[in-house]
Amino acid sequence: MPSQVFVSVTPALRSFLRDCRVTSARKSADDESVDMDEVYRLASEHEKLGGEQVKVHELLEGAEVLDRIPAEAPPMTELEEMRLKSEERKYQRSVQGVAPLYGRKKNEGFDVAGFSFATNFGTQVIVAFIGAFLLGYFFVETFVSQDNNVLKVIAGVACSFCTLLLETCLLMVHESKETMIENKRTQSDIREGQRKKKLAALKHAKKGAQAVSETAADGPEARGGEEEVDDKQGKEQPKKGQHDKKED
């Protein structure tokens, strides 16, 4: 929808408004903002009146948009509004299964978030596995026996195995959480779509009921008008007959 764009008055623009050949331009020279379309109109009329060629882009250099005033929409009849809404519904149905291009590119492209999680989780597993082995190994060396290497290795492997089980459980919890979030999001989208469909159906039913009530209200008035016309015609016909008898 077209709108009026008010821009700030730059020094170059203010100088042009003061020296413009159009007398009405001087009134806007002391204002803080001016309509951009008005600037173009004044520049065109200034050139037509014999002034120098005006480069509007140089006048508006450094100007800032201060306000936007949307233009008033022309009044539409009820039939035009219904036709416009029907075209909007038709358009929405035509693009219902169309996915946005940026979303498609994002899905088809490289999943950065998934790769980052996999890298972090793999690094964490490796560090935890090595750390657990060293923990079991040096625990036996410090508190049990310094010469029993077999026991040291067995303790380290046992700690590493327990750590691996713990990391597997954490991964399962993370995946189940992501699945639950995705399912809730999908259910929320489905409920939102159903709610919108119900609201659209209710609005359509209300409009249909209003149209039926208006038709029913206009019907008796139209029939009453036709009956009045028939009564008038019936009354005029006997008068014409009496007038013809008098002339005979």
Side-chain angles (χ1 to χ4, degrees):
M1 183 180 293
S3 60
Q4 289 181 308
V5 180
F6 289 87
V7 296
S8 59
V9 180
T10 60
L13 180 58
R14 195 182 304 277
S15 177
F16 164 72
L17 293 174
R18 289 173 179 172
D19 299 337
C20 183
R21 291 180 178 269
V22 184
T23 56
S24 60
R26 298 171 186 174
K27 298 179 181 179
S28 304
D30 297 330
D31 296 339
E32 295 182 357
S33 62
V34 65
D35 188 3
M36 186 182 296
D37 295 335
E38 184 70 13
V39 174
Y40 279 95
R41 186 186 68 81
L42 293 174
S44 177
E45 292 186 2
H46 177 75
E47 294 177 3
K48 290 179 181 179
L49 294 175
E52 298 179 356
Q53 184 178 3
V54 180
K55 297 180 180 179
V56 181
H57 67 279
E58 293 181 356
L59 299 178
L60 297 177
E61 185 178 0
E64 297 179 356
V65 178
L66 299 181
D67 194 10
R68 292 179 183 269
I69 300 178
E72 295 183 358
M76 293 189 298
T77 61
E78 186 176 356
L79 182 60
E80 290 176 345
E81 291 181 358
M82 293 176 65
R83 187 179 294 120
L84 185 63
K85 291 179 181 178
S86 176
E87 292 176 356
E88 179 65 22
R89 288 195 297 270
K90 194 179 298 182
Y91 172 75
Q92 293 296 336
R93 285 195 297 269
S94 65
V95 299
Q96 187 173 5
V98 179
L101 185 60
Y102 66 88
R104 188 181 304 171
K105 288 183 178 179
K106 183 177 179 181
N107 294 330
E108 292 176 356
F110 186 70
D111 191 359
V112 179
F115 179 76
S116 176
F117 172 75
T119 304
N120 295 336
F121 185 78
T123 305
Q124 179 182 348
V125 169
I126 293 172
V127 172
F129 191 82
I130 297 173
F133 179 83
L134 294 176
L135 174 64
Y137 185 90
F138 286 106
F139 181 83
V140 173
E141 183 178 2
T142 304
F143 298 100
V144 179
S145 175
Q146 295 182 354
D147 299 329
N148 194 348
N149 294 327
V150 176
L151 185 60
K152 293 178 186 179
V153 173
I154 292 174
V157 171
C159 292
S160 299
F161 182 74
C162 293
T163 304
L164 184 61
L165 291 178
L166 180 61
E167 294 291 340
T168 304
C169 293
L170 292 176
L171 179 61
M172 293 176 62
V173 170
H174 179 269
E175 292 296 328
S176 63
K177 180 181 177 182
E178 292 292 331
T179 305
M180 290 174 60
I181 292 174
E182 187 65 25
N183 291 336
K184 287 184 179 180
R185 192 174 299 165
T186 304
Q187 292 176 0
S188 177
D189 294 340
I190 293 173
R191 286 196 297 268
E192 184 67 20
Q194 292 176 353
R195 187 180 67 84
K196 289 182 179 179
K197 289 181 179 179
K198 289 181 180 179
L199 290 176
L202 289 174
K203 289 182 180 179
H204 185 69
K206 287 181 180 179
K207 289 182 179 178
Q210 290 178 357
V212 171
S213 61
E214 290 177 358
T215 305
D218 294 340
E221 294 179 358
R223 289 195 296 270
E226 293 177 356
E227 291 177 356
E228 290 180 359
V229 172
D230 294 337
D231 293 341
K232 289 181 180 179
Q233 291 178 354
K235 290 179 181 179
E236 289 176 356
Q237 287 178 358
K239 289 181 179 180
K240 289 182 180 179
Q242 293 176 3
H243 184 67
D244 293 339
K245 288 180 181 180
K246 288 180 181 179
E247 289 181 354
D248 294 338

